[in-house]
Amino acid sequence: MSEADKASYLTEEYVQRLNELGEALKQGDDDEANRLIGELTTLRESALFLELGKLTREIHDSINSFTDDERVVELAQEEIPDAKERLNFIITKTEEAAHKTMTAAERAMDVVDSFVLQANDIQQRWTRFRNRELSKQDFLALSEDLDRFFGSINEESNKVKSEMTDIMMAQDYQDLTGQMIKQVITMVQEVEEKLVRLVAISGANLANRVKPKEDGSTAHGPQLPTADKAEVATSQDDVDDLLASLGF
Amino acid sequence: MNKDMKILIVDDFSTMRRIIKNLLRDLGFNNTTEADDGQTALPLLKNGNFDFLVTDWNMPGMDGLTLLKTVRADENLKDMPVLMVTAEAKREQIITAAQAGVNGYIVKPFTAATLKEKIEKIFERIEG
């Protein structure tokens, strides 16, 4: 029986009894009138109980469907701990890559620094030679150093190249961590959907929730590029302007 | 500006400490020490005759703002120049740091040029 049918059926029942009640009152039949009023009350109550029952069943079903949902169990017991592990793995991988890159860059810089030192030294002595200021003995030393320097260029340049290759190879974390981050995002989306359903069931009035106010001493970590521009300094220039306005 | 001055670098990420240390070395500052949060930094500061403090804000244990406030409240450390290098970029936070007595504020990610400029500015003010 549809809702509309049920309603018209109820109305029919009411109308019929109300007519009979009118007739009974006209006739002065108190017993019959009382009986009809009793029946009307029962009818009214049963309609209420029907509604209440329906509501209870809906709530019950919603909660059951939520707790019986195997995905929720899986999410809580497996995927969230899994995601934590993935994120920790990402921290480790990116940290390793950063250190590998810096080590290689530092080594390459050392080679370049030593090149510059040697080249400067040789250049100064060469200038003195061109000005005829160098003794024969000093010139012999210079040509020996030049030989050594030219000889080392190949080997040292290969060292720099190999460090550069290491820096490139250290970026291989991006592929791995990128895939892992995608998996975590998918999981977070699913949890979000489940949470939205839970909020709908509990009927929490989100609009009335007051966010606790915070002061400037709380650390938030990096801001998203989409952060509110009025609240967040988006560049070093913004920071400098703000500090300048404070008399810095 | 004394290039031999003793500098303490405080950041919970070893990579960031290493980057700052390398940049400082490129600027000619070789006398650097590292700490991973305010709690480990404080005893170093109290006993180490440091000339300059470079600190992150968001760290476990003691954060950079608390470290800054503690330094400013300490009779022996209160005049130490402090540069904050942090990802915290809310206007409210920058104002809070300024009020707590920070000498310079750099938001991450930053460049070598910015670090150089801020350090020079801090010591120009102090020495000038």
Side-chain angles (χ1 to χ4, degrees), chain A residues 108-126:
Chain A
M109 276 194 274
D110 284 347
V111 175
V112 174
D113 282 347
S114 131
F115 261 161
V116 171
L117 268 178
Q118 288 181 70
N120 280 343
D121 172 58
I122 288 170
Q123 195 195 12
Q124 276 171 17
R125 287 152 75 192
W126 182 249

Side-chain angles (χ1 to χ4, degrees), chain B residues 71-81:
Chain B
V71 164
R72 288 288 175 261
D74 187 304
E75 194 50 41
N76 296 316
L77 301 173
K78 65 178 170 36
D79 295 323
M80 176 170 308

Side-chain angles (χ1 to χ4, degrees), chain B residues 1 3 20-30 111-120:
Chain B
M1 194 173 6
K3 296 271 180 184
I20 294 174
K21 190 184 161 155
N22 276 333
L23 290 174
L24 287 172
R25 202 190 48 200
D26 280 349
L27 295 174
F29 302 103
N30 286 300
T111 63
T114 305
L115 184 68
K116 182 172 188 276
E117 182 198 322
K118 298 306 161 202
I119 291 177
E120 279 170 359

